[in-house]
């Protein structure tokens, strides 16, 4: 296992360097600014003293967002401590994961080189850095949306039950991260419809079945 990791690092030096730079930008001065109003909502609604049911009830009153992020933060607070730094650190780690996710999407769509270029652009993108230091759900929305498109492309290229189930799962996580993801899901339905009419690498009936399952 150790040798595999070392070999991967040697053969993907550019990716590792970009991840290091991107991580530094997202972790630098992470707790420099005081919390703002929406982060206070995160701290209140994901309070570790609350059960999942109580978190959900609090969201119905105070938040116009789905519960996934707050459920995760509730667990993170219980394990790692209840503080602004912990909340922002989780966002930073999600943001770093987003860098690798955009690489995977670029590579799947075009080539490894395109994936690396996408990583470079995202690693220095001001908005992504900002939301990677914000104790809110936007970084999680980016990550799940990117992975959703990645597995959609994999499903289209290689229509298998495994890819179908993973795409369905990640897309579910996406719409439970933020309600705006419904627009993304609608766009993905249109893409699926196109490949039902003009199937790629499979039969129309088989792809229709997988689309319905997902």
């Amino acid at each position: 296992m150790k040798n595999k990791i070392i070999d991967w690092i040697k053969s993907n030096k550019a990716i590792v360097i970009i991840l290091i730079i991107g991580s530094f930008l997202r972790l630098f001065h992470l707790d420099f600014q005081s919390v703002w109003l929406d982060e206070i909502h995160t701290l209140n609604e994901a309070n570790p003293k609350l059960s999942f049911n109580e978190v959900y009830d609090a969201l119905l009153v105070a938040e116009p967002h789905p519960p996934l992020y707050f459920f995760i933060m509730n667990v993170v607070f219980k394990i790692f401590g209840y503080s602004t730094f912990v909340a922002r650190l989780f966002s930073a780690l999600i943001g770093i994961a987003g860098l690798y996710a955009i690489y995977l999407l670029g590579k799947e769509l075009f080539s490894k080189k395109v994936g690396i270029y996408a990583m470079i652009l995202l690693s220095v993108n001001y908005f992504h850095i900002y939301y990677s230091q914000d104790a809110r759900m936007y970084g999680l929305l980016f990550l799940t949306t990117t992975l959703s498109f990645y597995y959609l492309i994999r499903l289209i290229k290689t229509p298998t039950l495994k890819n179908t189930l993973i795409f369905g799962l990640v897309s579910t996580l996406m719409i439970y991260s933020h309600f705006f993801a419904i627009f993304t899901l609608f766009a993905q339905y249109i893409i699926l419809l196109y490949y039902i009419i003009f199937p790629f690498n499979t039969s129309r009936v088989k792809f229709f079945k997988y689309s319905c399952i997902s």
Side-chain angles (χ1 to χ4, degrees):
M1 182 66 178
K2 183 179 179 181
N3 290 335
K4 287 184 178 180
I5 294 174
I6 293 173
D7 290 340
W8 186 89
I9 292 173
K10 287 181 179 178
S11 59
N12 295 279
K13 291 180 181 177
I15 296 173
V16 173
I17 292 171
I18 297 167
L19 283 174
I20 291 172
I21 294 172
S23 298
F24 173 78
L25 292 174
R26 281 151 185 78
L27 295 171
F28 182 70
H29 277 179
L30 187 62
D31 204 25
F32 179 70
Q33 295 186 1
S34 59
V35 292
W36 68 293
L37 178 60
D38 282 12
E39 289 183 310
I40 293 174
H41 273 289
T42 296
L43 294 169
N44 287 339
E45 275 78 81
N47 191 312
K49 293 181 180 179
L50 302 178
S51 66
F52 276 4
N53 284 336
E54 289 171 325
V55 170
Y56 185 77
D57 290 340
L59 294 177
L60 293 178
V61 175
E63 284 281 355
H65 301 295
L68 178 62
Y69 172 79
F70 300 93
F71 285 163
I72 295 174
M73 285 310 310
N74 179 262
V75 174
V76 168
F77 284 145
K78 287 176 179 176
I79 296 174
F80 298 103
Y82 185 39
S83 69
T84 307
F85 179 79
V86 169
R88 289 177 176 172
L89 180 60
F90 174 75
S91 293
L93 294 176
I94 289 294
I96 294 167
L99 292 177
Y100 191 70
I102 202 71
Y103 160 75
L104 292 176
L105 179 59
K107 181 183 177 184
E108 193 67 30
L109 276 170
F110 299 103
S111 66
K112 182 175 180 179
K113 183 181 290 187
V114 171
I116 290 174
Y117 288 157
M119 274 188 80
I120 292 172
L121 292 173
L122 186 63
S123 68
V124 295
N125 183 279
Y126 170 80
F127 295 102
H128 195 264
I129 294 172
Y130 176 85
Y131 287 113
S132 294
Q133 295 189 331
D134 187 28
R136 296 295 284 172
M137 74 295 298
Y138 306 111
L140 183 63
L141 173 64
F142 179 88
L143 175 62
T144 53
T145 301
T146 305
L147 289 176
S148 180
F149 274 108
Y150 169 68
Y151 283 108
L152 173 63
I153 300 303
R154 295 198 64 171
L155 172 59
I156 292 169
K157 286 184 175 181
T158 311
T160 63
L161 182 59
K162 177 183 177 182
N163 287 336
T164 299
L165 294 176
I166 295 176
F167 168 65
L169 173 62
V170 176
S171 296
T172 301
L173 296 176
M174 176 182 71
I175 61 175
Y176 273 88
S177 298
H178 198 288
F179 284 123
F180 283 0
I182 295 293
F183 296 107
T184 301
L185 193 65
F186 180 73
Q188 290 176 336
Y189 284 165
I190 294 175
I191 294 171
L192 287 173
L193 178 61
Y194 175 86
Y195 283 101
I196 290 171
I197 299 172
F198 305 103
F200 177 82
N201 201 31
T202 188
S203 68
R204 183 177 289 111
V205 173
K206 184 178 180 181
F207 195 78
F208 176 76
K209 180 181 71 173
Y210 284 151
S211 297
C212 290
I213 292 172
S214 70

